[in-house]
Amino acid sequence: MKIAFTSNYHGQGGTTSNVMAIANVITMVHNCRVLLMQTHFDKNNLQRSLFGLSTMNDSELQFDNMGIDALLRYSKAGPITEKMIHDCSISINKQKMNYIMGTEKKDRIIYEQEMLKRYLNIIDVMDQSYEYLVIDTNSCDDDLSQMILKEADLVVANLSQNINVIDEYLGCDRYMQYLGKTMFLIGNYNCNSSYNLSNIKRYSKSFTDSNIATIPYNVDYFDAQCDGKVLDFFARNIESKKGDSNYYFIKSIKEAALLIMEKELCCRKVV
C-alpha cells in the first residue's frame, strides 16, 4: 500500500521525523515489510537522520549503484524488478525495512522530469514487493508531489498546532481533494497548548476520531535525528514501559501507526 506523507509547510509538522517514527513502528511492532523513500531533490534529512551521512562526500558513500538514481537508470533499459529494488536499497530493522536513497543529481529539472516519466512504473513494482511503501514528499505544489498524492492509497497530512498552518491546509483544494483518503498527524505536539487534540477536533468537521493522531515533541528523538542515530533510538526504546522517560512518546507513535494502518485498511476496502 502506498502511503504519502506531505505537509503544506516544510519543518512545521515534522514530516520527515514522523515518517521515520511510523515506519519503524510498523516494522518493529507489526512485523510488516516496509520500503521507505523520499522524493526531495535536496534537504535529504531522512538519509542523514538514519545513517548520519551529512558530512560524507559522494566518493565516501560508494553507493553509485543504489538509490532512486540507480532505479531511474535501470528503468530506461527495461522493466524494474523486485530484485533491482532490493539491490538498490539499504536493508534495516533485520531486513524488514528497506530504504531507497534520495537523488544525488545536481539538476533539479532533469531529476523531476525523469521521476515524472518513470515514477509510476517504479512504484508499481515497489507496491507489489512490500506491504507498505512509505514516501516522504516535498512540502510544495510541484508536479511530482501532486502526482504522488494522486497515486497514493493514503495521504498522511503532517500539520502543526499553529492554527494558521491548519487553516491553510484545510482551505487548499489541491490537498483537500484527497480528504477521503487523508490521515492527519500533528507533529511536535504539545498537550499543554490551547490547540490540543480535543480542541483541534472541534475546530473543523474535517477531523474525526479515526483520522487524526499526534506525535509529541521528544528531545531524545530530536538529538537522535541530529546525530544520525534514529535506528539506535528505536532499538533502545521501542519496548519502553510505563515510567520510562520515552514511554509516552513511543506509546503515541504506536497509537498513530495503528490508526494509520486502520485508515489504510478502510481506504483499501473502499477501493
Side-chain angles (χ1 to χ4, degrees):
M1 218 59 177
K2 302 180 289 292
I3 305 178
F5 281 66
T6 190
S7 177
N8 54 330
Y9 275 100
H10 179 76
Q12 284 275 338
T15 305
T16 298
S17 171
N18 296 343
V19 163
M20 291 184 291
I22 296 297
N24 272 282
V25 166
I26 290 177
T27 56
M28 300 176 79
V29 176
H30 298 280
N31 202 34
C32 295
R33 296 186 70 230
V34 172
L35 183 63
L36 181 61
M37 66 177 291
Q38 63 185 21
T39 58
H40 301 209
F41 175 75
D42 49 14
K43 299 184 178 69
N44 293 327
N45 295 333
L46 182 59
Q47 205 157 291
R48 292 192 291 268
S49 296
L50 289 172
F51 307 110
L53 303 179
S54 58
T55 60
M56 303 176 79
N57 58 42
D58 293 345
S59 62
E60 289 175 315
L61 294 179
Q62 298 180 346
F63 289 154
D64 291 342
N65 293 317
M66 301 185 73
I68 192 63
D69 292 339
L71 285 174
L72 288 171
R73 287 197 301 271
Y74 291 148
S75 69
K76 296 176 183 178
I80 293 294
T81 66
E82 181 177 349
K83 184 178 185 303
M84 288 178 183
I85 294 171
H86 181 78
D87 290 345
C88 289
S89 64
I90 302 173
S91 294
I92 47 185
N93 282 354
K94 299 179 180 178
Q95 299 188 341
K96 276 292 182 179
M97 181 160 66
N98 282 58
Y99 171 65
I100 298 288
M101 291 179 61
T103 185
E104 296 292 335
K105 292 184 182 298
K106 306 303 181 184
D107 191 311
R108 179 190 296 271
I109 294 176
I110 292 176
Y111 164 70
E112 291 183 350
Q113 287 177 343
E114 288 187 3
M115 284 291 285
L116 284 168
K117 184 176 181 180
R118 306 182 187 281
Y119 174 77
L120 294 181
N121 291 334
I122 292 175
I123 65 162
D124 279 346
V125 181
M126 290 178 171
D127 191 31
Q128 295 167 14
S129 305
Y130 292 81
E131 292 169 89
Y132 291 93
L133 170 57
V134 177
I135 309 166
D136 182 3
T137 69
N138 286 324
S139 301
C140 56
D141 188 27
D142 59 277
D143 291 340
L144 177 57
S145 295
Q146 288 305 303
M147 182 176 70
I148 292 170
L149 297 186
K150 180 180 178 181
E151 296 298 325
D153 299 301
L154 179 66
V155 174
V156 178
N158 297 264
L159 305 176
S160 71
Q161 289 168 275
N162 184 330
I163 200 62
N164 296 313
V165 172
I166 294 174
D167 277 340
E168 181 173 302
Y169 193 98
L170 297 181
C172 183
D173 289 340
R174 71 176 179 268
Y175 290 121
M176 293 305 286
Q177 64 180 311
Y178 306 118
L179 179 60
K181 63 174 185 180
T182 296
M183 171 80 195
F184 296 96
L185 195 53
I186 310 297
N188 296 319
Y189 177 72
N190 187 331
C191 63
N192 296 314
S193 168
S194 296
Y195 289 97
N196 56 36
L197 183 58
S198 296
N199 289 335
I200 290 174
K201 286 179 182 178
R202 286 194 286 266
Y203 184 74
S204 172
K205 293 181 179 179
S206 297
F207 302 131
T208 68
D209 290 339
S210 62
N211 78 352
I212 187 168
T214 65
I215 294 182
Y217 176 79
N218 179 280
V219 67
D220 288 345
Y221 184 46
F222 173 81
D223 288 346
Q225 292 175 74
C226 293
D227 295 338
K229 296 181 179 180
V230 163
L231 298 175
D232 179 63
F233 173 86
F234 280 101
R236 288 185 287 105
N237 292 285
I238 196 66
E239 296 182 359
S240 293
K241 301 293 190 297
K242 189 174 293 188
D244 293 343
S245 60
N246 292 315
Y247 170 76
Y248 173 65
F249 178 68
I250 295 295
K251 179 175 179 287
S252 297
I253 300 171
K254 290 178 178 178
E255 290 172 350
L258 187 59
L259 210 57
I260 287 172
M261 295 171 74
E262 290 173 349
K263 177 72 173 177
E264 174 268 325
L265 182 60
C266 290
C267 291
R268 181 170 15 179
K269 287 180 178 178
V270 169
V271 174

